[in-house]
Amino acid sequence: MDIITQIAKELSINTQQVNNTVILLDDGATVPFIARYRKERTGGLDDNQLRALESRLIYLRELEQRRDVILDSIRQQGKLTDELQHSIATTLSKTKLEDLYLPFKPKRRTKAQIAREAGLEPLATALLDSRLDVNPLQLAETYINPDHNIQTGEDALQGARQIIMEQLSENAELLETLRDKVWKNGILKTTGSDNEQQESLKFKDYFDYSERLTTIPSHRALAILRGQRLQCIQVDLLPAEGESADSAYLQLIESELNLTQFQSTQQNWLQETARLAWRIKLFTRIKLDLIRRLRENAEHEAMQVFSKNLRACLLSAPAGTRCTLGLDPGLRTGVKVAVVDNTGKPVATETIYPHPPRKQWDQSLATLTRLCQHYSVELIAIGNGTASRETDQLASELIQRNPDLKLTKLMVSEAGASVYSASQLASNELPDMDVSLRGAVSIARRLQDPLAELVKIEPKSIGVGQYQHDVNQVNLSRVLDHVVEDCVNAVGVDINTASVPLLKSVSGLTQTLASNIVQYRNDNGAFNNRKTLKKVPRLGEKAFELAAGFLRINNAEHCLDGSAVHPEAYSLVDEIAEKTGKQIADLIGDKSTLSKLNANEFTSETFGLPTVQDIIAELEKPGRDPRQSFKTATFSEGIEKPSDLTEGMTLQGIVTNVTNFGAFVDIGVHQDGLVHISQLADHFVKDPNQIVQTGDIVKVTVLDVDLKRQRIALTMRSRQTAEKPSKPAQGEHEKKSTRRPKQQPARNNQQGTFGDALQEALNKTS
C-alpha cells in the first residue's frame, strides 16, 4: 500500500503536499510549526488538515505494521496464497484485516478442531458438495470413530457441523457483508427495572428503549454504555426490526452455501447449520464488533466536542495585566482571598467569614476595601462554586461602597482549581502558601490570562467534556494535548513570564527544556533576545528552530523578537526595510507603507509567497493576540437559587459547556441551565458550536424549572417561537419505536424533544 497516495486521496490534496508533510513530521517538526512556517512545503495546509493527515498517517502505519505481522504468520504456516496476499495487502481497515487473519490466527482448541482431529473434515466437505445426493446421517455413519469419541452417525454430523460453522464464521467477505447490513438495520434495545438506587434512576429513560444503531447520537450511546457498565440497564442488539429479523441474514448465508443446488434432505440439514452458524457464531461476533464500533464512533464525537469546548475555554478573552482580587467562595470554611499584581504574582492573601455561621459581613467588607485600596485592585474574580452568589453580593456591596475604586467583578469558573491547589506544580509555584489559598490565586489568574493558568491543569479537570470519563483515556489525552499545543502556539508565549506548563506546550519544547528555560531565567535574569535561548542547557538547533517563532520577548534588543516573525526570516525583513528606506522599528506598525508592498517582489527560493505575505501581515500588527476582546457578564440581582426563577424570566448567562444536544449556561443559581439544541436559535441548528462556544455571554429565557430534580430549561429563541417543552404523557415511556423513539428528535422539527433531552443531558459527567 502506498500510504502517501492513500492519504492524498482521502484528504483531497496532492501527493507532493502529503509527502513533504510526512518528511517534516518524521524530522520532528510539530504541526503548529509546519502550519505557520512551512507553508511552501505543504502547499498551505492549515492546522486542521495537518492534524487529520498526522492522525491518518499514524493509523495507516500501524495498519502496515500489523499487516506485516499477519503476512509473516500465514507465510510461516505455509498457507499464504497469491489471492490471500493480495486481499491482505489492499485492505485499508483494521477490522477487515483481522477478519482475513481469523482462519489462520492461533486460537484455543475449538470444537471444530476436535472434529478435524477425529477425521471429520472429509465429511464436512462432502456435505457441502451439491453434486452429491446423499442422506447426511447415512453418510455420517461411515465416519464413526470410537477412538475419538465419535460413537454414532449423529456424533459425526455434529462434528461436521462445527467445522462448517467455523468456516462460515471465518469467511471475511461474508462477515463484512453481514456486519454492514446489521449496522444499517440493527436495533439497539435496552431494558431495566425500577429500584430505589439513585444510580439506576439516572438511567430510567433507558428501562424500555430501542433505536436504530445508525441514528443513536454519541451522547446517548455513551449514556447507554455507561448504564450497562454500571449494571443499571441491560443492552442487546437485534439484527433488524420485526419477528423475521434474521431472515435476510440467513438468506445471505444460504446463498454463500449455494443451498438451492442441494436435494431436500441435504438442504434441510445445511439450512439448520446456517441458522446455528448465524445465531451462535456470526451474530455473536458481529454484535461485539458493532457495539465496539458504536462506542468508538461515540467516543470520537465526544472527543471532538471536548476539543471544541477546550479550545474555546483556553482562548477565552484575557482581562490582561490588571491587578486582580481572587475570591474562592465558601460558607463554613470562609471565603479565601488572594490579590495578584499585574504580572500574576500573589501579593496578599486573607480568609474572611462573611457568610453563616460566623456572619462577619462588615469585617469582611473592611478587609476587602483595605486590600483593594492598598494594591490598586481593578478586577474582582469570583469562583462560581458553593456560596458564589452570596460572595457576589459581597463584591457588589464592596463596589457600591467604594465607587472611587472603579472595581469590576466577574464570575469565573473554578473547575479544576482544587486539582491545581493540591498539585506538585502549585506547591513549587506557591511553596509558602496554604493549599486552601492557592485556589483563590488560580481564580484571579484565570481572569487575567485564562490560557496561561488553565494549561497548569489537566484538561480533563477543566469540566468542559461530554462523558469524558467514559472514553478511551489515552486517545482523549492525545487529542486534548493537541488542542492545548495549538492554542498556546496560536497565541504565543512571553518567555520572561511563562510558567513551565505553558512553555512545555510550545512547539519543540519538552518538560525538561521548559524547566531549563525557567531555571536559566531565574539564574541569569530576563531574556533580552531570542539568540540567548541557545545558551539554555540541552536546547539545541532543532528545538530552537521549532520554538523560536512562538516565543515572545517584549522590549527586546531586536524589535522582531517580540513578534511572530521567525529568526530565520529576519534577513527578509531587512530586505523589506531596505526597499522602503525605513528602519525595521519604524516599519513595524506602519500599515500605510506595508499595504503598498508587492509581496511577489520579495519571494525567493528560500521564502515563498505565503511566508512573505505572513511576514508583512505580522509587521502590520506584531505579536497580535488572536483572542477576542475582554467582555463581562452580569447576573441578575436577587436571582440566586433555582427557586428564584420563574417561567419567562430573561437573564444573562455564561456558556459553560457545549455538547451535541445543546449548551449549558451559568445564570448564577448554582445550577447550570440547559439550552437544548432545538432552543438555540429560531432556525434549525445542526451543530450547537455554530451558535455558541464555551465562555460566550448570552441572553436566555427560562422555559421550565424542575426544583425536585434541579433541572432548568432555557431558550435563546425569540419569544414568538420559543415554546415550553411538552412533558411526556403518562405511560408514554412504555411505548416502543425503532423508527423514531421518544428520545429521538424528528429530523425536520426539533420541538417537543426537550424534556427527554434534558433528562439524559443532565446525566453527563464534567
Side-chain angles (χ1 to χ4, degrees):
M1 181 183 63
D2 186 345
I3 291 177
I4 302 297
T5 302
Q6 182 60 35
I7 293 176
K9 179 181 178 182
E10 292 178 6
L11 300 184
S12 300
I13 55 181
N14 64 57
T15 56
Q16 191 63 40
Q17 288 176 290
V18 178
N19 188 61
N20 288 345
T21 302
V22 170
I23 291 173
L24 288 167
L25 289 170
D26 288 344
D27 194 37
T30 64
V31 167
F33 175 79
I34 297 171
R36 173 72 189 185
Y37 298 113
R38 293 295 180 266
K39 291 182 178 179
E40 287 84 0
R41 297 280 300 276
T42 68
L45 297 181
D46 61 31
D47 53 355
N48 291 326
Q49 291 173 302
L50 291 170
R51 288 292 182 200
L53 189 157
E54 181 185 41
S55 176
R56 194 58 180 155
L57 177 66
I58 292 171
Y59 180 92
L60 292 177
R61 282 181 168 173
E62 289 176 350
L63 180 69
E64 199 68 17
Q65 291 173 357
R66 181 60 178 159
R67 193 196 317 277
D68 291 341
V69 170
I70 288 174
L71 285 171
D72 286 344
S73 175
I74 300 175
R75 191 178 291 111
Q76 289 174 10
Q77 298 174 42
K79 299 178 181 179
L80 185 62
T81 64
D82 291 342
E83 183 181 358
L84 177 60
Q85 183 169 358
H86 179 266
S87 297
I88 291 174
T90 54
T91 185
L92 297 172
S93 163
K94 290 181 179 179
T95 300
K96 178 65 178 298
L97 186 61
E98 296 302 328
D99 286 348
L100 292 167
Y101 183 42
L102 196 58
F104 312 98
K105 189 175 183 178
K107 57 178 77 72
R108 289 180 298 177
R109 197 159 172 257
T110 64
K111 291 181 180 180
Q113 287 176 317
I114 295 172
R116 290 189 182 94
E117 292 168 3
L120 296 178
E121 189 154 24
L123 173 60
T125 302
L127 290 169
L128 289 172
D129 191 344
S130 61
R131 294 170 299 179
L132 301 177
D133 182 9
V134 298
N135 182 300
L137 185 58
Q138 290 178 352
L139 179 62
E141 288 175 346
T142 64
Y143 286 86
I144 293 174
N145 187 345
D147 292 340
H148 285 83
N149 203 29
I150 307 298
Q151 307 291 344
T152 65
E154 191 61 42
D155 291 340
L157 276 182
Q158 288 299 324
R161 175 167 281 159
Q162 291 295 333
I163 293 172
I164 295 171
M165 287 168 60
E166 185 172 273
Q167 289 174 350
L168 288 170
S169 70
E170 294 178 346
N171 184 322
E173 295 299 327
L174 179 62
L175 260 175
E176 184 176 30
T177 300
L178 292 171
R179 187 187 292 116
D180 288 346
K181 193 173 184 65
V182 176
W183 177 256
K184 293 175 183 176
N185 302 303
I187 306 294
L188 192 74
K189 180 174 177 58
T190 64
T191 55
S193 58
D194 288 308
N195 57 57
E196 298 301 320
Q197 294 182 359
Q198 190 65 33
E199 194 68 39
S200 294
L201 291 178
K202 293 180 181 179
F203 300 94
K204 189 173 182 178
D205 294 335
Y206 304 111
F207 285 175
D208 186 12
Y209 162 87
S210 60
E211 185 172 359
R212 281 190 183 275
L213 273 176
T214 52
T215 64
I216 300 175
S218 63
H219 60 275
R220 194 175 297 155
L222 291 173
I224 289 170
L225 294 171
R226 179 194 289 178
Q228 180 188 41
R229 177 171 54 82
L230 296 175
Q231 299 182 343
C232 296
I233 57 174
Q234 293 77 48
V235 179
D236 194 17
L237 178 61
L238 308 179
E241 184 180 4
E243 296 180 358
S244 58
D246 292 333
S247 60
Y249 304 97
L250 289 174
Q251 289 176 8
L252 288 171
I253 300 171
E254 291 171 2
S255 176
E256 181 68 25
L257 293 174
N258 200 22
L259 285 194
T260 57
Q261 304 300 315
F262 289 88
Q263 298 300 317
S264 60
T265 305
Q266 196 174 352
Q267 185 184 74
N268 291 340
W269 186 86
L270 286 172
Q271 280 181 328
E272 178 63 11
T273 301
R275 187 186 69 81
L276 292 172
W278 166 244
R279 297 305 303 179
I280 297 174
K281 294 281 189 180
L282 288 160
F283 186 56
T284 299
R285 175 184 172 86
I286 288 170
K287 185 186 298 186
L288 293 174
D289 287 346
L290 294 187
I291 293 295
R292 183 176 66 250
R293 179 175 171 181
L294 178 68
R295 174 182 290 281
E296 289 174 350
N297 289 352
E299 286 186 355
H300 174 75
E301 196 163 339
M303 289 179 198
Q304 297 308 306
V305 170
F306 199 161
S307 296
K308 291 176 183 177
N309 286 340
L310 179 61
R311 185 183 302 276
C313 192
L314 293 175
L315 295 179
S316 298
T321 55
R322 301 159 73 180
C323 187
T324 304
L325 177 76
L327 300 178
D328 188 357
L331 293 172
R332 183 182 57 82
T333 58
V335 177
K336 307 303 184 294
V337 182
V339 179
V340 299
D341 65 15
N342 56 6
T343 67
K345 178 184 176 181
V347 292
T349 58
E350 294 276 358
T351 300
I352 57 177
Y353 300 89
H355 312 308
R358 298 197 187 185
K359 299 182 179 180
Q360 297 175 357
W361 189 266
D362 290 335
Q363 297 95 315
S364 299
L365 281 172
T367 298
L368 295 180
T369 300
R370 173 176 53 82
L371 291 172
C372 291
Q373 289 175 339
H374 186 269
Y375 295 102
S376 301
V377 170
E378 296 182 56
L379 299 173
I380 302 174
I382 306 166
N384 67 344
T386 304
S388 61
R389 288 313 305 271
E390 294 86 346
T391 305
D392 183 64
Q393 285 184 342
L394 182 72
S396 295
E397 189 163 336
L398 174 67
I399 294 172
Q400 290 172 3
R401 290 192 183 186
N402 300 277
D404 55 308
L405 294 178
K406 298 181 180 179
L407 298 169
T408 301
K409 64 180 177 68
L410 297 99
M411 200 71 72
V412 176
S413 170
E414 61 179 42
S418 59
V419 175
Y420 165 76
S421 299
S423 68
Q424 185 61 48
L425 173 62
S427 181
N428 294 338
E429 283 190 333
L430 309 168
D432 300 323
M433 187 178 294
D434 186 85
V435 172
S436 63
L437 293 168
R438 293 172 183 165
V441 174
S442 180
I443 289 169
R445 287 174 171 174
R446 289 184 189 200
L447 188 56
Q448 292 179 324
D449 191 339
L451 178 60
E453 190 63 20
L454 291 176
V455 294
K456 301 175 183 177
I457 304 168
E458 185 180 17
K460 288 179 284 188
S461 298
I462 295 177
V464 292
Q466 172 184 297
Y467 291 97
Q468 64 193 54
H469 300 296
D470 294 293
V471 305
N472 184 294
Q473 297 300 294
V474 174
N475 292 342
L476 178 62
S477 294
R478 186 185 71 252
V479 170
L480 298 184
D481 286 345
H482 287 165
V483 174
V484 174
E485 182 183 30
D486 289 343
C487 290
V488 169
N489 289 285
V491 173
V493 172
D494 184 339
I495 194 172
N496 286 321
T497 61
S499 63
V500 171
L502 189 59
L503 284 168
K504 77 173 184 179
S505 296
V506 172
S507 169
L509 298 185
T510 61
Q511 173 80 26
T512 299
L513 289 177
S515 298
N516 290 350
I517 288 173
V518 172
Q519 187 61 51
Y520 185 91
R521 187 176 71 201
N522 293 338
D523 294 341
N524 300 279
F527 290 89
N528 53 22
N529 63 70
R530 281 171 168 166
K531 291 181 179 179
T532 310
L533 276 167
K534 296 181 179 180
K535 296 181 180 180
V536 173
R538 303 182 67 177
L539 199 154
E541 288 293 336
K542 187 63 179 180
F544 178 82
E545 177 190 30
L546 297 177
F550 302 103
L551 297 172
R552 311 281 190 267
I553 303 176
N554 295 323
N555 302 315
E557 292 177 352
H558 197 300
C559 53
L560 293 178
D561 283 354
S563 72
V565 178
H566 198 284
E568 66 186 10
Y570 284 5
S571 60
L572 176 59
V573 179
D574 289 336
E575 184 181 342
I576 294 174
E578 183 179 349
K579 179 78 172 180
T580 59
K582 293 194 172 195
Q583 296 294 319
I584 294 177
D586 297 328
L587 188 62
I588 292 176
D590 186 352
K591 189 172 182 179
S592 61
T593 300
L594 292 168
S595 62
K596 297 174 183 177
L597 295 176
N598 181 359
N600 289 296
E601 293 182 10
F602 302 98
T603 59
S604 63
E605 292 184 3
T606 306
F607 304 111
L609 184 60
T611 295
V612 176
Q613 290 172 333
D614 280 351
I615 289 173
I616 293 175
E618 180 64 19
L619 291 174
E620 287 184 7
K621 296 180 179 179
R624 63 190 181 280
D625 194 323
R627 293 174 289 185
Q628 294 181 349
S629 58
F630 180 69
K631 295 184 294 184
T632 64
T634 303
F635 291 141
S636 299
E637 295 292 339
I639 308 299
E640 301 168 5
K641 50 188 182 298
S643 59
D644 294 331
L645 299 172
T646 58
E647 183 182 335
M649 184 178 286
T650 299
L651 306 164
Q652 194 174 68
I654 303 172
V655 178
T656 60
N657 200 0
V658 182
T659 68
N660 287 339
F661 48 80
F664 288 88
V665 179
D666 180 4
I667 52 176
V669 295
H670 303 303
Q671 173 63 53
D672 289 357
L674 175 66
V675 182
H676 185 256
I677 187 172
S678 64
Q679 299 292 329
L680 283 171
D682 290 339
H683 58 273
F684 176 83
V685 177
K686 183 177 181 181
D687 179 6
N689 286 280
Q690 296 173 343
I691 307 298
V692 292
Q693 287 189 328
T694 302
D696 283 356
I697 298 170
V698 296
K699 183 177 288 186
V700 296
T701 301
V702 178
L703 281 179
D704 191 31
V705 182
D706 186 340
L707 294 177
K708 184 177 180 181
R709 295 198 288 180
Q710 291 289 290
R711 296 181 176 180
I712 304 166
L714 305 172
T715 182
M716 289 171 55
R717 301 177 69 171
S718 63
R719 290 184 180 274
Q720 290 78 10
T721 59
E723 296 180 9
K724 181 177 178 179
S726 58
K727 295 183 179 179
Q730 185 176 3
E732 184 179 342
H733 66 279
E734 298 176 358
K735 298 177 183 178
K736 302 177 183 178
S737 173
T738 55
R739 295 185 182 278
R740 184 171 292 156
K742 59 177 181 152
Q743 294 91 341
Q744 175 67 12
R747 297 252 179 217
N748 60 352
N749 182 10
Q750 293 179 341
Q751 299 301 316
T753 64
F754 189 88
D756 296 320
L758 180 60
Q759 291 176 25
E760 63 179 286
L762 293 182
N763 290 332
K764 77 181 182 68
T765 185
S766 50

